[in-house]
Amino acid sequence: MPDTQLDDLQKAHIQHLQDAYADILQQQGYDAVLISSGAAPVRYADDQYHHHHGYGHFLHWTGLTGIEHSWLLVDREGHVRLWLHTPVDFWHATAEIPTEAWTQLIKVEGQAGTGAPEIAYPERLAVIGDPAQINAVKGQANPPALLAALDHLRICKSDYEVECIERANARAARGHGAAREAFLNGASEFGINLAYQQATAQREVDSPYHSIIGLNDHAGILHYQHYETASPARARSLLIDAGCRYRGYCSDITRSTAAPGENRFQALINGVESLQQRLCDAVAPGVDYVELHYRTHLGIAALLRAADLVKELSEEDMVERQITRAFFPHGLGHFLGVQVHDVAGKPRPSPEKAPALRLTHRLEPGMVVTIEPGLYFIPSLLQPILDGADSQYLNKPLIDELKGCGGIRIEDNVLVTDTGSRNLTRPYLPE
Ligand code: GLY
Ligand code: MN
Ligand code: MN
């Protein structure tokens, strides 16, 4: 899609927000809402700042990540004004006043101060954002009912948002290709991260979340947070979970790769891959995501049986006895948008047996979800079973052989369409 078309979609997105905000403000009895961009806090007892990404509702309008001390005012007639923080500052680069097509709909001006703009506000004003930024502003701070309505507005994505998420996928896919190649060439976790950043042309701090890059047993640590600078003596497996942003919108992609010769682990990857593809294909309007999560457990059970990792039990029994949960302890996925775990995912609480599930909706067109089944060898989860009454069903020698490969996760980003779904990842990263 040419960028001019994207600009038109962006204007349609903003117009949709203008109408929706006008309705919500009307319903909730406000004349206007003032949205803070937020600002990075300083590190405790230090003069260095954390990295800023931006408050979700501010990004929903502007996509401007990294912008601090800026304010957006939306009134119930749909007028929108943005004050960008443009201080005189010779230590740092300061924001330029944008001139893109969307500024035809949002009036933008600069302001030197960090506080809320000094204008005459309408009487019934809501102010939303990080309490540390908004506490000096007169108005109703973070009213829960308004926040819930604005979160709800983010559930179904506009065509503009879908295109941005797709472009974030295209960008991350380049990184995944480079990461895989670096792994097969013997790079360390640190080296793989450099290859990823080089290929995506994105600094890690600007990506939606800290890239998870685990070799061998580190692939079994769900949110592994370090990078070994040395390559392991024998590299057996790679798990990389890494995304990108495009105009504020996130991708969230995971791939698993076995080293040549790791045939059993490769067979398991193939099994998770085909399960993941079936689950992606099952995404459609009306599908209950909690049901899809349970279906994933049955799929994992089938893989455990086929691989001879769990013996003698039916697939249903494996799920019932929570054996599959030890191998697949996280949820099937979540909403994706300007936040990697986007808001409003849980109209009902997660089920007791799936406390980590971040999404409990019935799917509707316009939702963008991740589909990310996994199969891991996590000692702290497997040991209690190996020590208990169900140990007879587990193939301990095989678990011991494979636990050095850590685990597998395969994750794509999928749009729910009117008739089914569209995978936003696979066109750029087929495997
Ligand atoms: N990257 C974190 C997740 O997949 O949810
Ligand atoms: Mn995810
Ligand atoms: Mn992920």
Side-chain angles (χ1 to χ4, degrees):
M1 172 185 296
D3 284 350
T4 49
Q5 203 177 332
L6 186 65
D7 288 345
D8 289 342
L9 286 183
Q10 185 175 22
K11 285 200 282 183
H13 168 71
I14 290 171
Q15 280 161 344
H16 159 67
L17 292 188
Q18 285 170 313
D19 292 344
Y21 265 61
D23 286 348
I24 291 170
L25 291 173
Q26 179 90 26
Q27 283 156 15
Q28 307 234 351
Y30 295 104
D31 298 318
V33 57
L34 182 68
I35 307 174
S36 162
S37 65
V42 68
R43 293 185 201 157
Y44 178 63
D46 197 348
D47 66 356
Q48 300 297 307
Y49 285 80
H50 291 281
H51 193 76
H52 184 64
H53 277 248
Y55 176 47
H57 293 303
F58 183 84
L59 298 182
H60 197 200
W61 282 92
T62 66
L64 297 173
T65 52
I67 295 286
E68 301 178 88
H69 301 299
S70 298
W71 302 82
L72 189 88
L73 183 70
V74 187
D75 72 19
R76 62 199 258 179
E77 275 77 50
H79 303 124
V80 192
R81 294 175 70 182
L82 170 62
W83 288 267
L84 272 189
H85 183 44
T86 50
V88 177
D89 179 354
F90 57 83
W91 292 101
H92 303 102
T94 53
E96 300 279 332
I97 299 294
T99 54
E100 290 94 355
W102 60 269
T103 59
Q104 294 159 15
L105 296 170
I106 299 181
K107 183 168 180 275
V108 189
E109 53 204 288
Q111 79 159 12
T114 56
E118 290 177 11
I119 58 161
Y121 287 103
E123 197 177 325
R124 293 170 305 171
L125 178 73
V127 188
I128 64 172
D130 180 348
Q133 303 299 318
I134 67 170
N135 58 12
V137 187
K138 223 171 127 205
Q140 207 176 337
N142 288 327
L146 178 65
L147 290 180
L150 298 182
D151 283 355
H152 192 266
L153 183 60
R154 283 167 53 189
I155 290 178
C156 290
K157 271 57 185 180
S158 64
D159 292 345
Y160 171 71
E161 296 180 286
V162 171
E163 177 68 18
C164 289
I165 295 171
E166 184 161 354
R167 290 186 182 205
N169 268 269
R171 188 175 192 183
R174 292 196 288 276
H176 279 270
R180 183 187 165 96
E181 200 178 309
F183 165 66
L184 293 174
N185 286 328
S188 65
E189 292 165 352
F190 187 78
I192 294 167
N193 181 46
L194 291 182
Y196 182 85
Q197 288 188 62
Q198 179 77 39
T200 55
Q202 179 188 256
R203 292 200 311 173
E204 174 146 41
V205 285
D206 292 324
S207 65
Y209 56 93
H210 186 283
S211 300
I212 299 161
I213 299 175
L215 295 178
N216 297 352
D217 54 324
H218 294 162
I221 301 171
L222 298 181
H223 285 175
Y224 173 64
Q225 71 276 41
H226 305 300
Y227 298 136
E228 288 284 350
T229 51
S231 304
R234 177 182 163 210
R236 300 182 62 190
S237 65
L238 164 69
L239 184 151
I240 171 167
D241 181 344
C244 278
R245 280 193 192 269
Y246 185 87
R247 294 192 180 186
Y249 286 86
C250 306
S251 53
D252 178 10
I253 303 175
T254 310
R255 288 294 182 266
S256 296
T257 306
E262 291 290 344
N263 298 338
R264 275 185 186 272
F265 193 65
Q266 181 64 59
L268 269 185
I269 292 179
N270 296 346
V272 176
E273 165 79 10
S274 80
L275 170 63
Q276 196 263 2
Q277 289 293 280
R278 289 201 303 281
L279 293 166
C280 289
D281 290 344
V283 168
V287 169
D288 180 351
Y289 196 84
V290 177
E291 284 298 318
L292 208 54
H293 173 80
Y294 284 131
R295 216 191 295 175
T296 310
H297 272 272
L298 287 171
I300 293 293
L303 287 178
L304 292 172
R305 234 155 84 97
D308 201 32
L309 281 159
V310 180
K311 299 173 288 189
E312 292 164 35
L313 287 177
S314 71
E315 285 147 25
E316 287 75 13
D317 279 347
M318 275 188 238
V319 177
E320 190 54 38
R321 288 167 186 257
Q322 308 223 24
I323 290 176
T324 52
R325 199 168 146 192
F327 288 94
F328 170 48
H330 58 74
L332 175 60
H334 48 85
F335 280 149
L336 187 67
V338 289
Q339 292 168 226
V340 61
H341 298 151
D342 213 7
V343 291
K346 294 211 282 189
R348 47 192 163 134
S350 312
E352 206 178 309
K353 283 186 182 162
L357 187 60
R358 291 189 167 98
L359 185 52
T360 61
H361 277 269
R362 204 168 270 287
L363 298 178
E364 292 172 34
M367 291 175 169
V368 177
V369 302
T370 67
I371 295 291
E372 47 181 306
L375 198 167
Y376 311 87
F377 300 93
I378 302 175
S380 63
L381 298 182
L382 292 175
Q383 201 56 49
I385 303 178
L386 289 166
D387 291 341
D390 286 342
S391 70
Q392 57 184 310
Y393 303 119
L394 263 54
N395 183 341
K396 187 166 183 310
L398 187 52
I399 290 173
D400 283 343
E401 182 195 323
L402 290 176
K403 73 179 180 211
C405 292
I408 300 162
R409 180 161 65 253
I410 300 176
E411 176 176 24
D412 289 348
N413 306 160
V414 180
L415 168 71
V416 185
T417 63
D418 289 336
T419 52
S421 64
R422 183 157 72 83
N423 192 313
L424 303 176
T425 310
R426 292 282 164 164
Y428 308 97
L429 197 63
E431 54 180 347

